[in-house]
Amino acid sequence: MRLSWRKPAPLNWSAAREAQYTTAAPLLGGASITLLGIVITDRDKFRWPGPTLLALALTALFMVVAMVLGILSRQYLYSRSDVEAWWGPLSEMSDDQHEELIQDQRMHYSRYVRLERKADFCYLSGILCLAAGSSLTLAPPAHAAAPAWRWFAAGTTATLIVVLPLARTMPYIRNVMRNLQADHHDST
Amino acid sequence: MPPRQCPACDAAPSERADHYADCPLKDVPLAQVAGLTLEQAEAKAARWRA
Ligand SMILES: [Zn+2]
């Protein structure tokens, strides 16, 4: 079986991830560090300063790791035209060399996907910690005058902690169901 | 998460229903091979064709 170059689906998926690791993650990590500074200096104005600080510190950590892994992964992603830019036209190449370059690209692409998966896990964990951190920040202190609105705000942010993992796992649940159906079809 | 793709033609079940036209694994449903390594997918294809 002659195999071809690997490519992301949809094709610009990797460009979207690049924006996630070079723009969104640093921004969110930076914001959590700013918030961290506020909670440290004004800890008596928050209901649970300890857990809040932990959640915000974890956010910063996850975002930095996501950024590092995302950028590390990027070196393993290149297209056939990148190969041609560095190696010269593929049509002028021997079949063996052509084949080797395809194999390298396929190996690098799977490495890219593996690193990307880890980066994505860190990014998602970072978002969850940020949601938890903001929610804890919003919880009214014990002596607050009208705490209902603050509780409402905290609760709204906290729903992200439930909704996000659910939205992420849905495609997998659907896929398992599809496979079960297909296996059933297979065995009958 | 990176989309799960067919290891031969790179079609993703999240994007389309079936493999691309000249995929060597096209007689196996896309959802069955997406996300597998090429070796795993070939083993599965052999079982499927049997
Ligand atoms: Zn395919």
Side-chain angles (χ1 to χ4, degrees):
Chain A
M1 163 158 74
R2 190 188 164 88
L3 291 160
S4 178
W5 310 90
R6 296 216 61 181
K7 50 201 163 298
L11 279 177
N12 243 8
W13 183 83
S14 45
R17 293 292 77 73
E18 211 173 327
Q20 184 175 330
Y21 301 124
T22 55
T23 311
L27 215 69
L28 294 171
S32 74
I33 292 172
T34 311
L35 203 54
L36 197 78
I38 297 172
V39 179
I40 286 180
T41 46
D42 270 340
R43 48 182 306 129
D44 49 317
K45 294 206 175 90
F46 297 92
R47 192 176 189 99
W48 298 296
T52 310
L53 287 173
L54 175 67
L56 292 173
L58 282 177
T59 307
L61 189 75
F62 277 130
M63 287 302 175
V64 170
V65 177
M67 204 160 71
V68 170
L69 289 174
I71 289 165
L72 264 182
S73 75
R74 185 62 183 85
Q75 64 188 318
Y76 295 113
L77 179 78
Y78 51 86
S79 68
R80 173 206 178 107
S81 69
D82 291 325
V83 173
E84 283 202 295
W86 286 98
W87 288 84
L90 293 167
S91 50
E92 293 170 13
M93 216 173 262
S94 71
D95 275 358
D96 284 350
Q97 192 175 6
H98 191 166
E99 199 63 40
E100 275 174 6
L101 288 172
I102 291 182
Q103 282 192 349
D104 278 1
Q105 197 266 357
R106 293 186 66 88
M107 185 191 65
H108 286 148
Y109 184 83
S110 22
R111 204 172 287 172
Y112 164 72
V113 168
R114 275 199 301 275
L115 279 168
E116 197 61 47
R117 194 165 285 146
K118 288 181 192 138
D120 194 70
F121 173 80
C122 290
Y123 183 79
L124 181 67
S125 310
I127 296 274
L128 289 178
C129 287
L130 185 61
S134 337
S135 182
L136 289 166
T137 315
L138 286 166
H143 46 79
W149 284 106
R150 293 263 309 245
W151 280 123
F152 183 63
T156 313
T157 324
T159 50
L160 249 188
I161 303 168
V162 183
V163 173
L164 214 62
L166 220 72
R168 277 303 180 99
T169 43
M170 262 334 254
Y172 291 90
I173 297 169
R174 229 178 285 140
N175 173 49
V176 168
M177 303 286 279
R178 239 193 328 238
N179 277 349
L180 281 176
Q181 267 167 5
D183 281 341
H184 180 71
H185 167 82
D186 193 16
S187 61
T188 49
Chain B
M1 275 302 149
R4 296 172 320 103
Q5 293 169 264
C6 167
C9 72
D10 278 319
S14 54
E15 299 304 310
R16 45 185 292 136
D18 220 334
H19 296 272
Y20 286 103
D22 25 358
C23 178
L25 297 169
K26 71 173 166 211
D27 36 351
V28 187
L30 178 56
Q32 293 266 311
V33 290
L36 302 181
T37 65
L38 194 61
E39 295 75 50
Q40 290 169 329
E42 276 169 343
K44 193 153 201 175
R47 247 182 292 134
W48 183 268
R49 289 184 194 116

